[in-house]
Amino acid sequence: MQLINLADFTFKKFIPHFAAKHAHCPSFARDLHKHVLDLTSIALGLPESFLRDLHKYKNLSEDYLRYMKYSQYNEAETEALGGLWVQGHTDLGTSTLLARQPVAALQIQDPVTGRWSWMKPQHKTFTHRVSAPPADQRHVDRLELLYFARPQNDLVLQTIAEAPVLKGLQNEYERLGERVPMMAKFVVAKQQWKQQKGRKPGEIILAGFVEHIY
């Protein structure tokens, strides 16, 4: 697996040679940032700019654009990986936009039956994983362009009370009466847990939030 993350706050500072040749990348990411968040606000019954105002692009955040390549594996390598390139997980942020060439690999888990199936384009988020492609597609490298939209780091991750469709709902912290963290603290806790060796499902990474392995 090969990838490069292009975050707005590191783009020009850390990889200026890349930025000079690919000046379109920041503007492309900003367009995705605006349009995806505006459409989500409308779907939630909120003013169009509501989520965009909580994800101000100029403010420090963890959103980024990612170029990703899954190289083809032979049968022995695929078997050694158990047929999985990435274990089941949920993404860390508000929304993920994926563009790829037609090589199947992304699977979603049915929240009721627990069964895995090939993913179709959709808006609703599910637990998902990256599987080895079907046998007739395994000779092709899988290329992806992803945009991960995340709130600004100083945003408290409380339920949006203004959204009609979320009326009466609470997140994990609110249900348990725990202090709701800011986005930056949540990101650090999630990433530190993911990088641990021997991590186990059911571990509490922040008071009120239990992490899972699918």
Side-chain angles (χ1 to χ4, degrees):
M1 181 194 305
Q2 299 172 309
L3 61 87
I4 181 170
N5 292 339
L6 304 178
D8 187 59
F9 287 91
T10 60
F11 188 71
K12 294 181 180 179
K13 182 176 180 180
F14 295 110
I15 45 175
H17 61 286
F18 189 94
K21 294 181 179 179
H22 303 275
H24 61 285
C25 290
S27 60
F28 179 64
R30 286 189 179 91
D31 285 343
L32 293 178
H33 188 86
K34 176 184 183 300
H35 296 310
V36 172
L37 292 173
D38 286 357
L39 288 171
T40 305
S41 292
I42 294 170
L44 291 173
L46 297 166
E48 183 176 311
S49 65
F50 188 93
L51 288 178
R52 188 171 9 118
D53 291 340
L54 301 180
H55 298 66
K56 291 181 179 176
Y57 205 86
K58 65 180 181 179
N59 292 356
L60 187 61
S61 68
E62 305 300 323
D63 48 70
Y64 57 89
L65 186 71
R66 171 182 287 180
Y67 287 97
M68 200 165 188
K69 175 184 177 182
Y70 290 94
S71 298
Q72 55 187 284
Y73 291 99
N74 59 40
E75 291 303 314
E77 292 169 328
T78 298
E79 184 176 350
L81 291 170
L84 285 181
W85 291 347
V86 179
Q87 287 184 314
H89 63 283
T90 54
D91 285 346
L92 175 57
T94 306
S95 62
T96 302
L97 190 63
L98 168 66
R100 60 172 178 81
Q101 95 278 33
V103 175
L106 197 62
Q107 296 182 333
I108 59 171
Q109 186 180 47
D110 187 295
V112 177
T113 67
R115 294 177 179 175
W116 293 92
S117 59
W118 300 111
M119 187 174 184
K120 299 178 181 179
Q122 58 190 293
H123 183 269
K124 186 176 180 180
T125 183
F126 285 99
T127 301
H128 56 279
R129 67 185 185 184
V130 183
S131 172
D136 62 345
Q137 299 178 31
R138 292 182 185 176
H139 63 289
V140 180
D141 292 338
R142 188 172 191 266
L143 305 177
E144 298 180 345
L145 176 64
L146 305 99
Y147 179 68
F148 297 91
R150 295 177 177 174
Q152 54 207 46
N153 283 355
D154 60 357
L155 181 72
V156 177
L157 300 177
Q158 59 194 15
T159 303
I160 302 174
E162 296 88 341
V165 298
L166 301 179
K167 187 176 181 180
L169 299 181
Q170 293 181 311
N171 62 33
E172 293 92 332
Y173 311 103
E174 295 163 342
R175 285 197 301 269
L176 296 174
E178 299 287 354
R179 183 176 180 179
V180 182
M182 289 185 179
M183 183 61 184
K185 185 175 181 179
F186 181 67
V187 169
V188 170
K190 285 270 288 186
Q191 298 292 18
Q192 287 179 340
W193 181 83
K194 286 177 64 177
Q195 294 168 15
Q196 289 178 6
K197 293 183 178 180
R199 64 183 188 272
K200 299 177 181 179
E203 292 182 326
I204 298 175
I205 65 169
L206 281 175
F209 188 86
V210 178
E211 190 55 276
H212 300 281
I213 298 176
Y214 303 90

